[in-house]
Amino acid sequence: MRKRKKNKWLKWAIIALGVLFIGAGVFFFLNSKKKEQAAESNLPKTYTVESVSQIEVIEVSGNIEPVRTEDLKFFTSGRIVSLFIEEGEYAAKGTLVAQLDDIKEVYDLESLEYNIEQEKLSGNRRKLKLLEIEREMKLGALEDRKLYSSISGIVSLIDVSRGEYVQAGELVARIIDISSMKAEVEIDEIDVPLIASGQKVRFFFDALPDLEITGRVSSLPLEGRVTNQGIAVLDVELMIDSPPREILPSYSFSAEIVVSEEKTVLVLNEKAIIERNDRTFVLLPPEDEGKPTPKPVKTEKFGDGRVKIVSGLSEGDTVLSVQQMMEADQKRTGSRNPLEVFGISPRMPGGGRRPPHPGGGR
């Protein structure tokens, strides 16, 4: 019995010792991890030069319309006796759409024909000539009782019914040609020099969020106009050739007129940029225990908190965060200009008036 009790106490002692070693190991591991994180937090932040695809565009918006529209109206009043087409049907140019009652016009023409025959027998050539001119007028009046389409397209509206009396100039039907669709958009005078006929246009429709359609700039007017806000603009026409059936007239859209095609450029976070006296620098990370090295670069505005690198750096180059360096050095030295040791005075650049779009995206 004593031997068993002794073995039991030995077992518990071994377990307690194991727990103690494990706890100590966890403590030292967590403490080491915390020191590593603290050391990493004290390291200066860096930014890497990246390459992105860039497309320079001008953004516009508006509503899409048929390339041609015709409102069909009679030039004379009368009662509708025939409708030869229905809404949604295709009407070729010259299709007879509707007809008014023409009994009086037919009677007048037949009576005139009788008089002409009688006059031919009497031989009065002068009177016969006048009657023949009158016949042309009667034929025109009879033809005015019929309504034809002067364009090819879809009948989008029939606004009358058979037997209804219509006044001259009253809307009877509408035909739309949606073989192509167009839109008129305002271009600010500042951007007008960038616009040219034939430029590619990318359309995005609110009603069809997954659809992107390619169109073109179809025409530029010879004169601009001034808006109510006193801004000079040019009303430029955009065109979509052979649009898909999902796009309906009057749909709203946003569009991008492609000024320059896709190209790859180098960009860098603007927090890494130092500007002084029309000169631009970045700080390269120190080698070994040395100090950061200032390097001249040439940049251009890009947008989204980044600048375009024209020269001085390559893709993959790493530079220091100027803002973090300033804050760290200011805490350490108390200097208002902690980068004086490099002979430069930092100034963060602002954003652009019209940044170009990163490539391919909406």
Side-chain angles (χ1 to χ4, degrees):
M1 292 293 293
R2 289 182 180 179
K3 189 175 182 181
R4 281 186 184 176
K5 189 172 182 181
K6 184 177 181 181
N7 289 340
K8 185 176 180 182
W9 281 109
L10 180 62
K11 181 179 178 181
W12 280 109
I14 292 172
I15 292 174
L17 188 61
V19 171
L20 181 63
F21 276 112
I22 292 173
V26 170
F27 172 77
F28 283 113
F29 173 78
L30 293 177
N31 192 47
S32 175
K33 197 71 176 175
K34 188 180 294 184
K35 289 181 179 179
E36 288 179 7
Q37 292 175 349
E40 288 178 359
S41 65
N42 291 328
L43 292 176
K45 184 176 180 62
T46 60
Y47 297 105
T48 302
V49 179
E50 300 175 330
S51 65
V52 298
S53 295
Q54 179 191 47
I55 300 177
E56 189 175 358
V57 300
I58 295 174
E59 296 182 345
V60 294
S61 61
N63 296 85
I64 202 73
E65 299 296 341
V67 67
R68 281 180 294 273
T69 302
E70 181 182 28
D71 288 339
L72 296 175
K73 305 172 184 179
F74 283 105
F75 294 110
T76 184
S77 302
R79 193 171 304 279
I80 301 287
V81 294
S82 297
L83 288 171
F84 300 98
I85 202 164
E86 296 181 357
E87 288 184 7
E89 291 185 348
Y90 177 81
K93 182 179 179 179
T95 298
L96 179 60
V97 175
Q99 183 172 345
L100 298 176
D101 61 279
D102 57 2
I103 296 177
K104 179 180 182 303
E105 286 74 19
V106 170
Y107 174 81
D108 290 344
L109 183 60
E110 289 296 328
S111 296
L112 183 59
E113 292 286 0
Y114 175 79
N115 292 334
I116 289 175
E117 292 296 326
Q118 294 299 314
E119 203 60 44
K120 286 181 179 179
L121 295 177
S122 66
N124 189 331
R125 293 184 178 181
R126 184 171 180 81
K127 187 173 182 180
L128 181 61
K129 185 176 180 180
L130 291 173
L131 290 174
E132 288 176 345
I133 294 174
E134 186 178 355
R135 180 171 60 181
E136 293 298 320
M137 296 170 62
K138 297 290 185 183
L139 286 171
L142 181 61
E143 194 65 15
D144 285 344
R145 311 298 283 181
K146 299 177 181 179
L147 192 58
Y148 298 89
S149 170
S150 64
I151 67 170
S152 297
I154 304 297
V155 180
S156 64
L157 175 69
I158 297 290
D159 204 36
V160 296
S161 57
R162 187 176 299 174
E164 182 178 346
Y165 189 89
V166 296
Q167 298 289 343
E170 184 178 342
L171 179 65
V172 174
R174 178 176 296 119
I175 294 181
I176 57 174
D177 179 3
I178 54 175
S179 59
S180 296
M181 302 189 81
K182 65 179 182 178
E184 195 173 82
V185 296
E186 290 184 357
I187 302 296
D188 190 284
E189 61 179 329
I190 297 174
D191 294 323
V192 168
L194 303 176
I195 301 295
S197 182
Q199 282 176 329
K200 184 168 73 175
V201 181
R202 301 191 301 183
F203 287 85
F204 308 95
F205 290 87
D206 296 338
L208 304 164
D210 297 327
L211 187 66
E212 177 184 329
I213 301 298
T214 299
R216 58 187 171 88
V217 176
S218 55
S219 68
L220 285 73
L222 297 178
E223 59 179 316
R225 64 178 176 84
V226 179
T227 67
N228 294 334
Q229 291 77 33
I231 302 172
V233 297
L234 199 67
D235 293 319
V236 174
E237 185 180 86
L238 310 181
M239 186 78 69
I240 300 177
D241 300 307
S242 303
R245 289 184 175 271
E246 299 96 313
I247 299 178
L248 299 180
S250 297
Y251 270 14
S252 59
F253 68 85
S254 59
E256 297 172 347
I257 302 174
V258 180
V259 175
S260 65
E261 291 293 341
E262 184 172 350
K263 59 183 178 181
T264 300
V265 297
L266 299 179
V267 296
L268 179 65
N269 193 303
E270 65 179 10
K271 292 180 180 179
I273 300 298
I274 312 163
E275 292 183 353
R276 181 178 182 273
N277 297 332
D278 297 326
R279 294 191 302 164
T280 306
F281 302 86
V282 294
L283 290 179
L284 300 181
E287 296 181 2
D288 300 329
E289 299 298 325
K291 296 181 180 179
T293 305
K295 183 174 183 180
V297 293
K298 185 177 180 181
T299 65
E300 292 180 358
K301 295 174 182 177
F302 186 81
D304 297 329
R306 297 179 290 179
V307 295
K308 175 181 174 183
I309 301 298
V310 179
S311 64
L313 294 172
S314 302
E315 182 179 1
D317 286 348
T318 300
V319 299
L320 297 175
S321 167
V322 176
Q323 184 174 355
Q324 190 181 29
M325 288 287 294
M326 288 174 61
E327 292 173 354
D329 286 355
Q330 192 168 9
K331 288 179 181 179
R332 182 172 57 84
T333 65
S335 171
R336 292 186 177 181
N337 179 17
L339 297 179
E340 284 178 345
V341 291
F342 305 112
I344 49 180
S345 175
R347 177 174 62 85
M348 301 306 297
R353 180 189 65 83
R354 186 180 295 276
H357 274 239
R362 184 175 172 182

